[in-house]
Amino acid sequence: MPSRRTLLKGLALAAAASATPLPAFAETGAAAGTSADWIPPLRQMRGMWIASVVNINWPSKPGLSADEQKAEYLAWLDVAEQRKLNSVFVQIRPTADAFWPSPFEPWSQWLTGTQGQDPGYDPLAFAVEETHKRGLAFHAWFNPYRVSMQSDPSKLHPDHPGRKHPDWIVPFGGKLYYNPGLPEVRAFCQDAMMDAVTRYDIDGLHFDDYFYPTNTTAFDDSATFAKYGAGFPDLAAWRRNNVDLMVSEMQQRVLAAKPEIAWGISPSGIWRNKASDPLGSDTNGGQSYDSLHADTRGWVKKGWLDYIAPQLYWYIGQPPADYSKLVPWWSDVAKGTGTLLWIGQAAYKAGDPAQTAPQWQDPAELSKHLTLNRNHPEIGGDIWYNANDVKVDRIASITTAVNDHYQRPALAPVLPRLAGGTAPHRPVVAYARRRPGGVEVRAVATGRQEPFQFAIFRFAEDAAADAFGDARNLVAVVPGGRQAIWTDQDGKAGDHYYVVAVDRANRTSAPSNGFRVL
């Protein structure tokens, strides 16, 4: 089931969502996600997708002033903080256009309503800076091949590459796409995306689930296949190789240009069904390997990604694609590969009146997903689609999941290939003293590099050296810098505070000195 395609069906929901206040967290009591033997992890991906295409999330409509766009983005960061997330995945190249002054492609029409029109500021620079001020990670989300949501090339900006190279463009299904079979298209798309990677301080390069839009010849690349398809058994195999080249080459370019950032993809959730391939999942849905020519399992097994985030947008027990069957299947795929596994969660379905299955009207359904994930150590967290639904929380499903599973803060995961890098310098707790509002803790960095974050731990007594590997005593993750001051409203006399410095790769220092509150 190609995921987000169905979500472009109407913008009334998006408009309503942007106007709806964020509900306060409710107490859930004995939550489905709590258990006496569960230890909250120190590291866990907690992200949300902020979509820009057809103004799904940000900006909420074209033509807003620069100040209005900035205010909207800051409000999305408020949502991320209130929902206890640590990362945002922001769509900055939705339709072969740009949310930054790109030398390759025009300004996005979703900013001003007119493709190529300068919005009056640099949205990407602003978004990255403000995200980092909150101590959140910024993953730049790109759509690799989609050129336009309409099918008339003459409506593209006169300087658009699709106008200059009409042979690069393939119309299909009322949209325009770059032709993935052309080597020059593949190189150009990589260049356009790497421009953002090299010029901006992003934390990750992220692809969504759109590759080839179909597995039929209705997507007319016959001339390209005739030119480049020699040696392949059929059109589908050649197309899959074209996508494989994009993925593998993208990895190499990221590693060469900025190896400290994460590179990953959020594909549709079914690679192949078991009926088609004995290696496939026990499902009967749309297959990315066949329908999109995306060999998602192969990418993981070949080590071409830092992480994969399959969109498992089905409820537990759903035929023909059961969440509880796909989770162990993907866990098995990722096991032992060094590729991190995060799960794309369908916040957009919870409480949607159009979803007639009772599971999607159950406030605990998404929390049950995260509870099930705990049985699979390969799963390192979740990304929620989309920001509007995380905000609006129609039936308190997000509130329930957050209260059940995000009781403690969490650092974002460390990429295995970066785990052995240089750790940050050990910080110092300058003081931890009682104030009218709680205990004020002052953390101070040491060394020349300022930490990206400080992780603050509270213990009832002196902490052992091995007490910092999980989040049982983690009380806050705050933005870094030369120093940080944070107030613990639950702190009291006799508590012991420690601080750990965290760098941009999420590596941690040795714990600071302990400071006992008098």
Short mmCIF file of all heavy atoms in Angstrom, two decimals, residues 322-356:
data_model
loop_
_atom_site.label_atom_id
_atom_site.label_comp_id
_atom_site.label_asym_id
_atom_site.label_seq_id
_atom_site.Cartn_x
_atom_site.Cartn_y
_atom_site.Cartn_z
N ASP A 322 -0.71 -7.13 8.46
CA ASP A 322 -0.84 -7.10 9.91
C ASP A 322 0.42 -6.48 10.50
O ASP A 322 1.54 -6.97 10.30
CB ASP A 322 -1.03 -8.54 10.41
CG ASP A 322 -1.25 -8.64 11.91
OD1 ASP A 322 -0.95 -7.69 12.64
OD2 ASP A 322 -1.72 -9.71 12.34
N TYR A 323 0.26 -5.40 11.27
CA TYR A 323 1.41 -4.75 11.91
C TYR A 323 2.22 -5.76 12.72
O TYR A 323 3.46 -5.74 12.69
CB TYR A 323 0.92 -3.62 12.82
CG TYR A 323 2.03 -2.84 13.48
CD1 TYR A 323 2.57 -1.71 12.87
CD2 TYR A 323 2.55 -3.21 14.72
CE1 TYR A 323 3.60 -0.99 13.47
CE2 TYR A 323 3.56 -2.51 15.33
CZ TYR A 323 4.08 -1.40 14.70
OH TYR A 323 5.11 -0.69 15.29
N SER A 324 1.55 -6.66 13.41
CA SER A 324 2.25 -7.59 14.28
C SER A 324 3.02 -8.66 13.50
O SER A 324 3.85 -9.37 14.09
CB SER A 324 1.27 -8.26 15.24
OG SER A 324 0.35 -9.09 14.57
N LYS A 325 2.76 -8.79 12.21
CA LYS A 325 3.55 -9.69 11.38
C LYS A 325 4.68 -8.96 10.66
O LYS A 325 5.75 -9.54 10.41
CB LYS A 325 2.65 -10.38 10.35
CG LYS A 325 1.65 -11.35 10.97
CD LYS A 325 0.79 -12.03 9.92
CE LYS A 325 -0.17 -13.03 10.57
NZ LYS A 325 -1.04 -13.69 9.55
N LEU A 326 4.46 -7.70 10.35
CA LEU A 326 5.49 -6.93 9.64
C LEU A 326 6.63 -6.52 10.56
O LEU A 326 7.79 -6.46 10.14
CB LEU A 326 4.87 -5.71 8.99
CG LEU A 326 4.14 -6.01 7.68
CD1 LEU A 326 3.15 -4.92 7.32
CD2 LEU A 326 5.14 -6.21 6.55
N VAL A 327 6.32 -6.23 11.82
CA VAL A 327 7.37 -5.84 12.76
C VAL A 327 8.44 -6.93 12.91
O VAL A 327 9.64 -6.65 12.78
CB VAL A 327 6.76 -5.42 14.11
CG1 VAL A 327 7.79 -5.51 15.24
CG2 VAL A 327 6.22 -4.00 14.02
N PRO A 328 8.08 -8.17 13.19
CA PRO A 328 9.14 -9.20 13.27
C PRO A 328 9.82 -9.46 11.95
O PRO A 328 11.01 -9.80 11.92
CB PRO A 328 8.40 -10.45 13.78
CG PRO A 328 6.96 -10.19 13.56
CD PRO A 328 6.77 -8.71 13.62
N TRP A 329 9.10 -9.30 10.83
CA TRP A 329 9.73 -9.50 9.54
C TRP A 329 10.84 -8.46 9.31
O TRP A 329 11.96 -8.81 8.95
CB TRP A 329 8.70 -9.43 8.41
CG TRP A 329 9.28 -9.78 7.07
CD1 TRP A 329 9.39 -11.02 6.52
CD2 TRP A 329 9.87 -8.87 6.12
NE1 TRP A 329 10.00 -10.94 5.29
CE2 TRP A 329 10.32 -9.64 5.02
CE3 TRP A 329 10.07 -7.49 6.10
CZ2 TRP A 329 10.94 -9.07 3.91
CZ3 TRP A 329 10.71 -6.92 5.00
CH2 TRP A 329 11.13 -7.71 3.92
N TRP A 330 10.52 -7.20 9.53
CA TRP A 330 11.53 -6.16 9.35
C TRP A 330 12.66 -6.29 10.37
O TRP A 330 13.83 -6.02 10.05
CB TRP A 330 10.88 -4.77 9.42
CG TRP A 330 10.27 -4.35 8.12
CD1 TRP A 330 8.95 -4.32 7.80
CD2 TRP A 330 10.97 -3.90 6.96
NE1 TRP A 330 8.78 -3.87 6.51
CE2 TRP A 330 10.01 -3.61 5.96
CE3 TRP A 330 12.32 -3.71 6.65
CZ2 TRP A 330 10.35 -3.15 4.70
CZ3 TRP A 330 12.67 -3.25 5.39
CH2 TRP A 330 11.70 -2.98 4.43
N SER A 331 12.33 -6.69 11.57
CA SER A 331 13.37 -6.88 12.59
C SER A 331 14.35 -7.95 12.15
O SER A 331 15.57 -7.82 12.32
CB SER A 331 12.73 -7.26 13.93
OG SER A 331 11.89 -6.23 14.40
N ASP A 332 13.83 -9.01 11.55
CA ASP A 332 14.69 -10.08 11.06
C ASP A 332 15.55 -9.60 9.89
O ASP A 332 16.72 -9.98 9.78
CB ASP A 332 13.84 -11.27 10.64
CG ASP A 332 14.68 -12.46 10.18
OD1 ASP A 332 15.40 -13.03 11.02
OD2 ASP A 332 14.63 -12.80 8.98
N VAL A 333 14.98 -8.76 9.03
CA VAL A 333 15.75 -8.21 7.91
C VAL A 333 16.92 -7.38 8.43
O VAL A 333 18.05 -7.48 7.94
CB VAL A 333 14.84 -7.36 7.01
CG1 VAL A 333 15.67 -6.54 6.01
CG2 VAL A 333 13.85 -8.25 6.25
N ALA A 334 16.67 -6.55 9.43
CA ALA A 334 17.70 -5.64 9.93
C ALA A 334 18.72 -6.31 10.84
O ALA A 334 19.84 -5.81 10.98
CB ALA A 334 17.04 -4.48 10.67
N LYS A 335 18.35 -7.43 11.43
CA LYS A 335 19.21 -8.06 12.42
C LYS A 335 20.59 -8.38 11.86
O LYS A 335 20.72 -9.00 10.81
CB LYS A 335 18.54 -9.34 12.92
CG LYS A 335 19.27 -10.02 14.07
CD LYS A 335 18.48 -11.22 14.58
CE LYS A 335 19.17 -11.86 15.77
NZ LYS A 335 18.37 -13.01 16.30
N GLY A 336 21.60 -7.91 12.55
CA GLY A 336 22.97 -8.22 12.18
C GLY A 336 23.53 -7.45 11.00
O GLY A 336 24.66 -7.70 10.58
N THR A 337 22.76 -6.50 10.46
CA THR A 337 23.22 -5.78 9.27
C THR A 337 23.96 -4.49 9.59
O THR A 337 24.65 -3.95 8.72
CB THR A 337 22.03 -5.43 8.37
OG1 THR A 337 21.16 -4.53 9.07
CG2 THR A 337 21.26 -6.67 7.95
N GLY A 338 23.77 -3.93 10.78
CA GLY A 338 24.31 -2.61 11.07
C GLY A 338 23.42 -1.49 10.58
O GLY A 338 23.74 -0.32 10.78
N THR A 339 22.31 -1.83 9.93
CA THR A 339 21.33 -0.83 9.51
C THR A 339 20.30 -0.65 10.62
O THR A 339 19.66 -1.62 11.04
CB THR A 339 20.61 -1.25 8.22
OG1 THR A 339 21.58 -1.49 7.20
CG2 THR A 339 19.64 -0.19 7.76
N LEU A 340 20.15 0.56 11.11
CA LEU A 340 19.18 0.83 12.16
C LEU A 340 17.77 0.70 11.60
O LEU A 340 17.52 0.99 10.43
CB LEU A 340 19.40 2.22 12.75
CG LEU A 340 20.77 2.47 13.39
CD1 LEU A 340 20.85 3.90 13.91
CD2 LEU A 340 21.06 1.48 14.50
N LEU A 341 16.84 0.29 12.47
CA LEU A 341 15.45 0.11 12.07
C LEU A 341 14.56 1.00 12.93
O LEU A 341 14.54 0.86 14.16
CB LEU A 341 15.04 -1.36 12.24
CG LEU A 341 13.56 -1.70 12.02
CD1 LEU A 341 13.13 -1.36 10.59
CD2 LEU A 341 13.31 -3.18 12.33
N TRP A 342 13.89 1.93 12.27
CA TRP A 342 12.87 2.76 12.91
C TRP A 342 11.55 2.48 12.20
O TRP A 342 11.54 2.10 11.03
CB TRP A 342 13.23 4.24 12.83
CG TRP A 342 14.61 4.55 13.35
CD1 TRP A 342 15.29 3.87 14.33
CD2 TRP A 342 15.52 5.58 12.89
NE1 TRP A 342 16.54 4.42 14.52
CE2 TRP A 342 16.71 5.48 13.65
CE3 TRP A 342 15.42 6.58 11.94
CZ2 TRP A 342 17.78 6.34 13.48
CZ3 TRP A 342 16.49 7.45 11.75
CH2 TRP A 342 17.66 7.33 12.52
N ILE A 343 10.44 2.68 12.87
CA ILE A 343 9.13 2.35 12.31
C ILE A 343 8.34 3.62 12.03
O ILE A 343 8.20 4.48 12.90
CB ILE A 343 8.33 1.44 13.27
CG1 ILE A 343 9.13 0.17 13.60
CG2 ILE A 343 6.98 1.08 12.65
CD1 ILE A 343 9.49 -0.71 12.42
N GLY A 344 7.81 3.71 10.81
CA GLY A 344 6.91 4.79 10.46
C GLY A 344 5.52 4.48 11.00
O GLY A 344 4.95 3.43 10.68
N GLN A 345 4.96 5.38 11.83
CA GLN A 345 3.68 5.15 12.49
C GLN A 345 2.60 6.05 11.88
O GLN A 345 2.82 7.24 11.64
CB GLN A 345 3.79 5.44 13.99
CG GLN A 345 4.75 4.53 14.74
CD GLN A 345 4.23 3.11 14.89
OE1 GLN A 345 3.06 2.82 14.60
NE2 GLN A 345 5.09 2.21 15.37
N ALA A 346 1.41 5.48 11.71
CA ALA A 346 0.30 6.16 11.02
C ALA A 346 -0.52 7.01 11.98
O ALA A 346 -1.69 6.70 12.26
CB ALA A 346 -0.58 5.16 10.31
N ALA A 347 0.06 8.08 12.48
CA ALA A 347 -0.72 8.98 13.33
C ALA A 347 -1.93 9.53 12.58
O ALA A 347 -2.96 9.84 13.18
CB ALA A 347 0.17 10.13 13.80
N TYR A 348 -1.82 9.62 11.25
CA TYR A 348 -2.90 10.21 10.46
C TYR A 348 -4.16 9.36 10.42
O TYR A 348 -5.24 9.85 10.12
CB TYR A 348 -2.43 10.50 9.03
CG TYR A 348 -2.25 9.29 8.14
CD1 TYR A 348 -3.26 8.88 7.29
CD2 TYR A 348 -1.08 8.56 8.16
CE1 TYR A 348 -3.10 7.77 6.46
CE2 TYR A 348 -0.91 7.45 7.35
CZ TYR A 348 -1.92 7.06 6.50
OH TYR A 348 -1.76 5.96 5.70
N LYS A 349 -4.04 8.07 10.74
CA LYS A 349 -5.21 7.19 10.70
C LYS A 349 -5.97 7.17 12.03
O LYS A 349 -7.18 6.90 12.04
CB LYS A 349 -4.80 5.77 10.32
CG LYS A 349 -4.42 5.62 8.86
CD LYS A 349 -4.20 4.15 8.50
CE LYS A 349 -3.95 3.98 7.00
NZ LYS A 349 -3.73 2.56 6.64
N ALA A 350 -5.27 7.43 13.11
CA ALA A 350 -5.91 7.31 14.43
C ALA A 350 -6.99 8.38 14.59
O ALA A 350 -6.73 9.58 14.50
CB ALA A 350 -4.86 7.45 15.53
N GLY A 351 -8.20 7.92 14.82
CA GLY A 351 -9.31 8.84 15.04
C GLY A 351 -9.87 9.48 13.80
O GLY A 351 -10.79 10.30 13.89
N ASP A 352 -9.36 9.13 12.63
CA ASP A 352 -9.89 9.66 11.38
C ASP A 352 -11.26 9.03 11.14
O ASP A 352 -11.36 7.80 11.05
CB ASP A 352 -8.93 9.34 10.24
CG ASP A 352 -9.40 9.88 8.89
OD1 ASP A 352 -10.53 10.42 8.81
OD2 ASP A 352 -8.64 9.74 7.91
N PRO A 353 -12.32 9.83 10.99
CA PRO A 353 -13.65 9.24 10.77
C PRO A 353 -13.71 8.35 9.53
O PRO A 353 -14.56 7.46 9.46
CB PRO A 353 -14.55 10.46 10.63
CG PRO A 353 -13.82 11.56 11.34
CD PRO A 353 -12.37 11.28 11.12
N ALA A 354 -12.82 8.60 8.56
CA ALA A 354 -12.84 7.78 7.35
C ALA A 354 -12.28 6.38 7.58
O ALA A 354 -12.48 5.49 6.75
CB ALA A 354 -12.04 8.47 6.24
N GLN A 355 -11.59 6.18 8.69
CA GLN A 355 -11.06 4.87 9.03
C GLN A 355 -12.12 4.10 9.81
O GLN A 355 -12.34 4.35 11.00
CB GLN A 355 -9.77 5.00 9.84
CG GLN A 355 -8.65 5.72 9.12
CD GLN A 355 -8.13 4.94 7.91
OE1 GLN A 355 -8.15 3.71 7.90
NE2 GLN A 355 -7.67 5.66 6.91
N THR A 356 -12.79 3.18 9.14
CA THR A 356 -13.94 2.52 9.75
C THR A 356 -13.56 1.36 10.67
O THR A 356 -14.37 0.94 11.48
CB THR A 356 -14.88 1.98 8.66
OG1 THR A 356 -14.15 1.10 7.80
CG2 THR A 356 -15.44 3.13 7.83
#
